[in-house]
Amino acid sequence: MWRHRSRAREGWRDTVVEQGLVFPVTKMPDGAELPYWNEDAWYEVTMEEVEALEAATEELWAMCLQAVTHMATTMTDERLGLPPGSLEVVRRSVEAGDPALYARFDLAYGADGSIKMLEINGDTPTGLVETGIIQWNWMEDVMPEMDQWNSVHDRLIAGWRKLRRSGHFDGDRLHFLYDLGEEDSYDGGEMEMTVHYLMDTAVQAGWVALAHPVAEVGWNPDTRDFRDVHDEPLRNAFKLYAWEEMLAEPFGRFVVDRAEARPTRWIEPAWKVLLSTKALLPVLWELFPRHRLLLPAYFDEPRDLERWVAKPLHGREGDNIRIHLDDMLEDVVMPGGYGAEGWVYQAYTELPSFEGNRVVLGSWIVDGEAAGMLVRESDSMVTDYFSRVAPHVISDGLAPSEEQVAQWLAERVGPDAPSLA
């Protein structure tokens, strides 16, 4: 993998906004702007590297599904820092075989070819617009003869179509709900942007869709069901809102207490809460000790680790991360509001650095199949709100024909994809 400097397209900022990326820059605390979408550089990967990352992603996904069933049957809400009754909802979801759509692994890809799982964003991953639309259009503008590890868009449509035809859902109307946040917690439109992109792919797959903030969802005590902003019942709903937060709220208790007369079918399903907690990391290390794709991880204490990263169970965007290295005078400690729910300690691994840009790869899994890559750069040891996204191309892969793409999709989306046991 190599990093190359390049000249940004003229008018790139307006271009990516028109294509759906509503925050092309990040506002710094001092008011300055830092590019969030960074096309002053691009990354080169080979087909051999892509195949290794693809295989690792699918192997990790299968391991995560094993961990879900293990956690659902052996752990407690208290151990996982979840609201009371959460695991009972998870168990019902596992038993029902609730289908899922997508997730994103964060990987450290070493110069020696080693691949290590840092974590998985299993419940509310974002970055889809950047991956599926923006970097693809960049490649078509700048290097149209090349290829990219990126079937996210096609696989999302195929995934939605499979869900619609699965018989698991109640009709073909689907609500898309997102968390706007409040005042200072507003994310600049990331949730809306992601949800509306997902809604577009769902509509292309035949769903009838409506989107609005999750705060506008109501509860009808007479019919005992959730209602949308037009007082229509929510039969099927996609939510970009974390399960652990939802189940802690009064409305979430209706789910815990099985108060619904006709339960809403949720995407992502309730069992995804177990892929949204860092508790997954020590569980994977216990189930698959010394696995080449994992870093040692433990609950509550670093044990024998000399270089470690402390992660709050429900932390996001690097908040409250603490990095301890044996040769540093002081630990790196990130601010934030997480930690009361509990901690895990994971062995520290050096992120590859390209001219001072520390890189984490976001590797997508859609309907059980590896689907593409997102490159994020950071100046600091923690990939946080100020990280940047840069595009990539496969240097020894030429742009495939539509027929080739259709064949690849047909070959890989099949009965071999792992599922919950």
Side-chain angles (χ1 to χ4, degrees):
M1 184 172 176
W2 301 267
R3 184 182 194 267
H4 302 278
R5 296 182 185 180
S6 63
R7 180 177 298 173
R9 293 168 294 176
E10 186 175 350
W12 67 269
R13 183 166 171 165
D14 291 338
T15 297
V16 299
V17 170
E18 289 169 1
Q19 292 169 354
L21 185 62
V22 299
F23 47 90
V25 298
T26 302
K27 291 280 189 183
M28 302 295 286
D30 62 1
E33 291 182 341
L34 180 74
Y36 169 70
W37 169 252
N38 177 30
E39 58 181 61
D40 288 333
W42 60 276
Y43 284 80
E44 173 188 352
V45 291
T46 66
M47 186 60 75
E48 183 178 0
E49 289 176 313
V50 168
E51 289 174 351
L53 289 163
E54 195 173 61
T57 300
E58 293 180 357
E59 185 174 356
L60 284 169
W61 178 246
M63 293 158 63
C64 287
L65 294 184
Q66 272 189 254
V68 165
T69 54
H70 175 80
M71 294 167 76
T73 53
T74 63
M75 305 194 85
T76 65
D77 294 323
E78 292 79 10
R79 169 77 282 184
L80 298 173
L82 294 171
S86 295
L87 274 178
E88 181 55 35
V89 177
V90 167
R91 293 182 190 111
R92 296 199 300 257
S93 177
V94 171
E95 290 169 3
D98 289 342
L101 181 63
Y102 78 120
R104 193 195 74 227
F105 287 96
D106 284 349
L107 304 176
Y109 184 39
D112 59 354
S114 64
I115 300 169
K116 298 294 184 184
M117 174 182 166
L118 300 174
E119 56 191 53
I120 179 174
N121 298 278
D123 187 19
T124 59
T126 55
L128 281 173
V129 175
E130 299 91 312
T131 306
I133 299 294
I134 305 302
Q135 70 167 347
W136 183 263
N137 286 331
W138 172 88
M139 183 191 68
E140 291 202 322
D141 281 350
V142 178
M143 302 183 191
E145 72 283 5
M146 303 303 289
D147 197 9
Q148 194 174 76
W149 181 26
N150 192 355
S151 59
V152 164
H153 186 80
D154 291 329
R155 289 193 188 282
L156 283 174
I157 295 172
W160 284 120
R161 186 176 296 117
K162 182 177 176 181
L163 291 175
R164 185 172 62 84
R165 294 173 176 172
S166 67
H168 190 82
F169 293 90
D170 191 348
D172 60 2
R173 291 177 63 83
L174 182 59
H175 287 81
F176 285 79
L177 310 173
Y178 51 92
D179 182 22
L180 274 179
E182 295 180 0
E183 299 179 353
D184 292 344
S185 65
Y186 179 63
D187 62 9
E190 184 177 33
M191 293 289 187
E192 293 167 274
M193 177 186 81
T194 305
V195 158
H196 281 85
Y197 173 53
L198 282 164
M199 186 169 73
D200 176 66
T201 56
V203 169
Q204 291 187 56
W207 288 93
V208 178
L210 171 72
H212 65 72
V214 69
E216 295 178 2
V217 172
W219 172 259
N220 187 319
D222 297 323
T223 55
R224 293 189 294 121
D225 57 15
F226 292 109
R227 296 283 168 141
D228 71 7
V229 69
H230 302 296
D231 199 30
E232 294 292 327
L234 267 63
R235 299 297 182 221
N236 312 303
F238 172 89
K239 51 143 198 73
L240 206 58
Y241 190 51
W243 269 106
E244 69 267 17
E245 295 180 24
M246 184 167 137
L247 292 175
E249 295 177 354
F251 275 20
R253 302 311 300 176
F254 293 129
V255 177
V256 174
D257 298 337
R258 309 182 83 161
E260 295 169 275
R262 190 174 172 179
T264 300
R265 305 297 176 92
W266 294 98
I267 307 170
E268 297 293 323
W271 58 262
K272 277 293 199 74
V273 72
L274 299 182
L275 300 187
S276 180
T277 168
K278 306 303 185 290
L280 176 72
L281 301 175
V283 172
L284 284 173
W285 187 246
E286 178 185 347
L287 293 177
F288 306 96
R290 300 186 180 281
H291 194 285
R292 73 188 190 290
L293 298 176
L294 300 177
L295 293 165
Y298 306 103
F299 282 105
D300 304 325
E301 59 183 4
R303 299 195 188 180
D304 58 345
L305 300 176
E306 296 183 349
R307 297 156 64 89
W308 45 261
V309 182
K311 299 182 174 182
L313 293 181
H314 301 160
R316 285 182 166 79
E317 300 284 359
D319 282 0
N320 298 100
I321 290 287
R322 179 177 180 182
I323 298 177
H324 172 84
L325 304 183
D326 50 357
D327 57 353
M328 273 193 335
L329 293 177
E330 293 185 11
D331 291 354
V332 174
V333 181
M334 302 296 290
Y338 298 102
E341 72 275 18
W343 295 80
V344 301
Y345 291 77
Q346 184 184 48
Y348 174 80
T349 187
E350 193 90 30
L351 293 177
S353 178
F354 300 83
E355 298 180 305
N357 297 279
R358 293 182 170 89
V359 167
V360 168
L361 299 185
S363 181
W364 294 96
I365 192 100
V366 179
D367 189 25
E369 307 260 13
M373 178 174 87
L374 179 71
V375 182
R376 285 187 296 163
E377 301 180 326
S378 180
D379 295 329
S380 71
M381 299 173 73
V382 178
T383 306
D384 58 11
Y385 295 99
F386 306 113
S387 65
R388 303 169 292 278
V389 170
H392 78 276
V393 298
I394 304 173
S395 56
D396 53 351
L398 296 178
S401 66
E402 292 185 6
E403 291 74 18
Q404 283 177 310
V405 172
Q407 182 181 352
W408 289 339
L409 292 174
E411 286 174 351
R412 290 185 53 77
V413 177
D416 294 335
S419 59
L420 284 174

